[in-house]
């Protein structure tokens, strides 16, 4: 869902691809919805009644990947049994290879052979059998980068890259954030039995300013986190319900991720303490001095946060700044 032009263009191309059997390559950062697009293409194609088999190439050790893809023959190695591989399981259906750029180079050559001959041979077997699986692949990097770095064989790439769909990052389609956020609110209302109406304007402003390096998946988790922070009877997501990383700007992310940019020696322990203190102070303000909510938002136990409050003398600073009286749960 969304109305951003780059996103609508990707959806339009995906719909066109459902009419043919050509290989498809989906490119985009992690969390942009590549597998969802692949499954949607399958569900709208003539193969919809057959299997959709998905495998993450980065999640399987290379020693096991060959057997998973092509199957195994009993006696091929110790403990081997007759087991069909993903190509056989996806016969007449769709095989989705996610994070193709993580697939071992030696396996890429065998995959190319299968694509050309449409035949597979199980590991340890001596009989070839035909398979008819539509191949959809995905990479979390752009094709040009994968080719230049030698991660992907060029002959395999051109075989798979018949149709290319590029999924934009959430940073590139920020206008869709309100619609996506409302969708996830309805989803978690149904899941948790709650009745959250929406997001306050200040909270939405923070969400629009966030970089969302984890894309739509990160947005979904942020909404789920906010649901867990809300008290009974609250029906609007406020700033202090959002997780701490939503308040981190892109500039802060870059400065923390690039320590090599410092031109002189630094006291790392002292810097980390200052960052920790600032983060606690910021979230304490967002939670209006509520220690329990601050601890939950920071992913800490209440006792651990209380220790840090004492360590950095934050209680005294907060009381003087906000002119409040200390209590059991509110500073």
């Amino acid at each position: 869902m969304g109305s951003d032009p780059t996103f609508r263009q990707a959806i339009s191309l995906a719909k066109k691809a459902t009419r043919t059997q050509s290989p498809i390559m989906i490119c985009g950062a992690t969390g942009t919805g590549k597998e969802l697009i692949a499954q949607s293409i399958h569900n709208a194609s003539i193969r919809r009644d057959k299997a959709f088999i998905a495998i993450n190439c980065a999640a399987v050790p290379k020693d096991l990947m060959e057997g998973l893809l092509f199957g195994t023959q009993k006696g091929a190695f110790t403990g081997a049994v007759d087991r069909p591989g993903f190509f056989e399981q996806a016969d007449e259906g769709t095989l989705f290879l996610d994070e193709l750029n993580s697939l071992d180079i030696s396996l890429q050559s065998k995959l190319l052979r299968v694509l050309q001959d449409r035949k597979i041979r199980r590991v340890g077997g001596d009989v070839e059998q035909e398979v008819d699986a539509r191949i959809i692949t995905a990479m979390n990097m752009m094709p040009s980068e994968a080719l230049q770095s030698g991660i992907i064989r060029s002959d395999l790439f051109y075989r798979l890259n018949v149709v290319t769909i590029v999924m934009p990052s959430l940073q590139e389609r920020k206008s869709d954030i309100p619609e996506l956020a409302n969708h996830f609110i309805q989803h978690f209302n149904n899941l948790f039995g709650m009745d959250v109406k929406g997001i306050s304007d200040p909270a939405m402003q923070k969400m629009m300013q966030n970089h969302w390096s984890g894309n739509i998946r990160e947005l979904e988790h942020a909404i789920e986190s906010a649901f867990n922070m809300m008290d009974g009877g609250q029906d609007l997501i406020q700033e202090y319900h959002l997780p701490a990383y939503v308040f981190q700007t892109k500039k802060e992310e870059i400065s923390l991720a690039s320590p090599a940019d410092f031109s002189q020696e630094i006291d790392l322990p002292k810097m980390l303490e200052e960052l920790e203190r600032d983060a606690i102070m910021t979230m304490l303000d967002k939670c209006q001095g509520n220690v329990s909510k601050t601890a939950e938002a920071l992913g800490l136990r209440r006792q651990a946060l209380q220790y840090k409050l004492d360590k950095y003398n934050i209680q005294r600073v907060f009381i003087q700044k906000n002119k409040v009286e200390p209590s059991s749960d509110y500073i």
Side-chain angles (χ1 to χ4, degrees):
M1 65 176 56
S3 56
D4 178 83
T6 56
F7 174 70
R8 297 312 310 174
Q9 182 180 7
I11 296 299
S12 175
L13 186 56
K15 288 181 177 180
K16 293 177 182 178
T18 64
R19 302 175 302 187
T20 69
Q21 305 301 307
S22 301
I24 301 170
M25 180 172 287
I26 307 172
C27 301
T30 300
T32 52
K34 297 187 294 296
E35 183 169 352
L36 186 61
I37 288 292
Q39 192 156 13
S40 298
I41 292 173
H42 169 79
N43 291 338
S45 72
I46 61 174
R47 296 173 179 260
R48 66 177 69 90
D49 295 327
K50 302 298 181 179
F52 175 85
I53 305 295
I55 180 171
N56 189 320
C57 299
V60 180
K62 64 178 182 179
D63 296 336
L64 300 178
M65 180 61 82
E66 184 175 2
L68 289 175
L69 282 177
F70 309 123
T72 55
Q73 189 77 28
K74 185 176 181 179
F77 51 86
T78 302
V81 296
D82 289 329
R83 178 179 292 133
F86 289 131
F87 270 98
E88 290 181 67
Q89 296 177 45
D91 191 32
E92 298 185 352
T94 302
L95 177 60
F96 175 58
L97 301 176
D98 196 9
E99 296 197 43
L100 179 71
N101 46 295
S102 298
L103 188 65
D104 186 73
I105 290 291
S106 62
L107 277 178
Q108 290 184 27
S109 62
K110 296 180 180 181
L111 177 59
L112 178 63
R113 179 70 177 266
V114 173
L115 294 175
Q116 290 173 340
D117 300 341
R118 291 194 169 276
K119 294 180 180 180
I120 61 102
R121 178 185 296 173
R122 292 185 180 183
V123 176
D126 54 7
V127 177
E128 289 188 335
Q129 53 185 310
E130 293 186 358
V131 290
D132 175 27
R134 184 180 193 179
I135 307 298
I136 302 180
T137 57
M139 295 197 300
N140 54 11
M141 63 194 319
M142 294 307 292
S144 57
E145 183 182 352
L147 284 173
Q148 291 174 3
S149 59
I151 294 176
I152 296 291
R153 289 174 55 116
S154 60
D155 47 4
L156 176 64
F157 170 78
Y158 294 121
R159 183 78 183 185
L160 293 172
N161 193 37
V162 177
V163 178
T164 304
I165 300 174
V166 179
M167 297 299 295
S169 66
L170 190 54
Q171 175 72 14
E172 296 173 300
R173 47 178 295 213
K174 279 194 170 183
S175 60
D176 289 338
I177 288 178
E179 183 179 358
L180 290 165
N182 286 327
H183 166 75
F184 290 129
I185 286 174
Q186 295 307 314
H187 169 72
F188 290 117
N189 273 336
N190 295 331
L191 187 63
F192 298 147
M194 298 173 66
D195 188 24
V196 177
K197 305 297 185 184
I199 304 174
S200 69
D201 290 340
M204 180 58 72
Q205 183 177 2
K206 287 296 183 184
M207 293 177 68
M208 295 297 289
Q209 293 172 349
N210 188 38
H211 182 53
W212 298 112
S213 56
N215 296 293
I216 299 173
R217 185 178 297 133
E218 182 184 359
L219 175 62
E220 178 183 6
H221 292 167
I223 298 297
E224 182 178 4
S225 175
F227 266 69
N228 282 275
M229 296 301 107
M230 299 179 73
D231 294 323
Q234 290 184 313
D235 62 0
L236 206 62
I237 295 177
Q238 304 290 346
E239 283 184 276
Y240 57 85
H241 294 140
L242 297 173
Y245 58 77
V246 174
F247 301 94
Q248 186 180 51
T249 65
K250 184 177 180 181
K251 181 178 179 181
E252 288 172 336
E253 289 178 347
I254 294 174
S255 65
L256 289 174
S258 306
D261 292 339
F262 293 106
S263 58
Q264 56 186 5
E265 293 184 0
I266 60 172
D267 187 341
L268 183 58
K270 182 178 179 181
M271 173 178 287
L272 293 176
E273 286 187 349
E274 291 176 353
L275 288 171
E276 184 177 55
R277 184 180 184 278
D278 290 344
I280 293 173
M281 285 289 293
T282 299
M283 189 52 61
L284 197 61
D285 278 331
K286 300 298 180 184
C287 296
Q288 301 176 348
N290 187 301
V291 178
S292 296
K293 288 183 177 180
T294 302
E296 290 177 351
L298 293 172
L300 298 173
R301 293 182 178 273
R302 193 183 187 286
Q303 295 87 337
L305 177 59
Q306 191 63 57
Y307 167 77
K308 295 179 185 295
L309 292 174
D310 295 336
K311 174 183 177 181
Y312 298 125
N313 203 18
I314 292 176
Q315 289 178 315
R316 181 180 62 81
V317 174
F318 188 87
I319 291 171
Q320 291 178 347
K321 175 183 175 182
N322 295 276
K323 297 180 181 180
V324 297
E325 294 293 331
S327 64
S328 61
D329 200 47
Y330 287 83
I331 292 182

